[in-house]
Amino acid sequence: MLPPAKPFKTSLYLSCAWNDRSAFRELVALLQTCRDRGFRFDTFLLPEDHPAAGADNERSLYEAVRGKMKYCQAVLIPADAPSAYSRWINKEIIAATSEMNKPLIAVRPPDSGEPSLIVKQNADRIVGWDAEAIVQAILELSAP
């Protein structure tokens, strides 16, 4: 259980793969349940309709992801990232882990399958659909 603590505010990059389901809103609502313990957050996400999403130039998509991720303290991706978003997920993982050194936290949505291999290999932590576990991972991994 998270201890009551001094207020903590962070910025989170939420993977575009959360666009594929209503899970984006559900994830945000889940995290908001920790507001009473001082946890506050802003979210950043590259929407599916962003011009770079349909570009043939892979670099454009990568730069768009980087631009959204630049000022975030942690990156949240679904552990069972849908294959339809593999192009995006790969860029998000590369930007977070190789270039920007952002903690990569994989969240297992309810009724999800096994985490994908790429997620297992790159996530700093894989957590269940539990607000306290997610926030604890954010606090531990993004601490200065």
Side-chain angles (χ1 to χ4, degrees):
M1 178 177 223
L2 290 174
K6 63 181 181 174
F8 179 81
K9 176 135 188 194
T10 192
S11 295
L12 304 171
Y13 176 89
L14 302 184
S15 171
C16 63
W18 295 110
N19 283 338
D20 193 40
R21 6 176 186 186
S22 64
F24 173 79
R25 286 187 300 276
E26 293 169 11
L27 177 62
V28 169
L30 181 68
L31 293 172
Q32 287 174 337
T33 65
C34 290
R35 292 179 70 87
D36 62 335
R37 293 201 180 93
F39 181 70
R40 303 284 187 271
F41 62 96
D42 293 318
T43 59
F44 293 84
L45 145 105
L46 188 68
E48 284 182 288
D49 60 356
H50 189 281
D56 290 334
N57 181 340
E58 294 296 311
R59 188 70 189 178
S60 295
L61 179 57
Y62 182 75
E63 291 300 326
V65 165
R66 276 186 67 240
K68 289 285 186 179
M69 194 181 286
K70 184 189 291 189
Y71 300 106
C72 296
Q73 281 77 44
V75 176
L76 300 182
I77 63 172
D80 66 336
S83 60
Y85 285 94
S86 62
R87 177 177 174 233
W88 293 62
I89 291 284
N90 289 337
K91 287 166 184 47
E92 291 169 338
I93 289 172
I94 291 167
T97 61
S98 298
E99 185 176 346
M100 303 179 92
N101 200 29
K102 306 282 184 184
L104 185 64
I105 302 165
V107 179
R108 294 181 79 163
D111 303 321
S112 65
E114 269 299 301
S116 67
L117 181 59
I118 192 162
V119 169
K120 284 181 184 178
Q121 291 173 333
N122 290 283
D124 293 296
R125 181 122 358 123
I126 298 174
V127 297
W129 192 258
D130 175 271
E132 291 188 9
I134 298 167
V135 171
Q136 190 67 42
I138 293 166
L139 292 173
E140 289 175 10
L141 296 171
S142 65

